[in-house]
Amino acid sequence: MFKKIIIAVDLSTESFVLTNCLTGLKAYGTEECLLLMSLNIQQSASLALSYANDVIEETLSNLKESVEKQGFTTESRIIIGNVKYEINKIAEEENYSIIVVGAEKDSMMKAHLFGGIAYDVIN
C-alpha cells in the first residue's frame, strides 16, 4: 500500500525520534524510504559561509543509518527551497505514497511563529 515513502526531517530531536520508530510501516508494505532534509534559501546561504554543512551531512547520515537498521532501503537528499512545495513536488514526480513528518506537541501559535517542517508540509 505504501511501498515508497518520504520522511521529511530537520536537525531537531524529533527527527531522531521519528526515524527510530518506522518499523510499524512494514505492515503497510513500506520497503523504500527517502529521507529529505530541507533547507530554506537563508539557511543554504549561511551554509556557504560556514562549516555547518558537515554537521548537516553527518546528521543526515545518522538518520539514514537508523532507518536502514529497521530493514528499509534508504536514500537521502538535501533539498533547498520552499519546503512544502519541494517535498510535495518530489512526492508527486517520483510516485511516493506518503510523506511522514513529525512535530513536537505545541501550540498552533508557536508553530506559526517559529515554523516547523511538519506544519509547512501539512499546509
Side-chain angles (χ1 to χ4, degrees):
M1 183 171 7
F2 300 123
K3 184 177 179 182
K4 291 174 54 175
I5 67 169
I6 290 177
I7 306 166
V9 296
D10 55 20
L11 295 172
S12 69
T13 306
E14 290 79 18
S15 290
F16 287 96
V17 172
L18 176 67
T19 58
N20 283 317
C21 61
L22 298 170
T23 306
L25 291 172
K26 287 185 174 198
Y28 297 98
T30 303
E31 297 173 5
E32 300 174 41
C33 298
L34 172 61
L35 280 173
L36 282 182
M37 183 171 289
S38 60
L39 303 173
N40 62 35
I41 302 301
Q42 293 85 4
Q43 290 170 321
S44 63
S46 68
L47 286 178
L49 302 173
S50 72
Y51 295 100
N53 193 42
D54 292 338
V55 172
I56 290 172
E57 289 286 346
E58 182 179 344
T59 301
L60 193 54
S61 177
N62 291 337
L63 293 171
K64 181 179 178 185
E65 184 178 322
S66 172
V67 175
E68 288 175 335
K69 282 182 181 177
Q70 295 172 70
F72 298 104
T73 302
T74 310
E75 179 187 344
S76 61
R77 292 185 212 163
I78 297 173
I79 57 172
I80 297 171
N82 186 311
V83 175
K84 60 185 168 186
Y85 296 116
E86 294 299 322
I87 291 176
N88 285 310
K89 179 181 169 186
I90 290 169
E92 189 173 327
E93 289 177 355
E94 299 180 27
N95 297 316
Y96 283 90
S97 307
I98 193 167
I99 300 169
V100 178
V101 292
E104 183 178 0
K105 184 178 177 183
D106 234 331
S107 70
M108 290 301 286
M109 179 60 93
K110 185 175 178 184
H112 179 70
L113 293 173
F114 298 105
I117 193 168
Y119 298 103
D120 285 343
V121 172
I122 291 168
N123 260 342

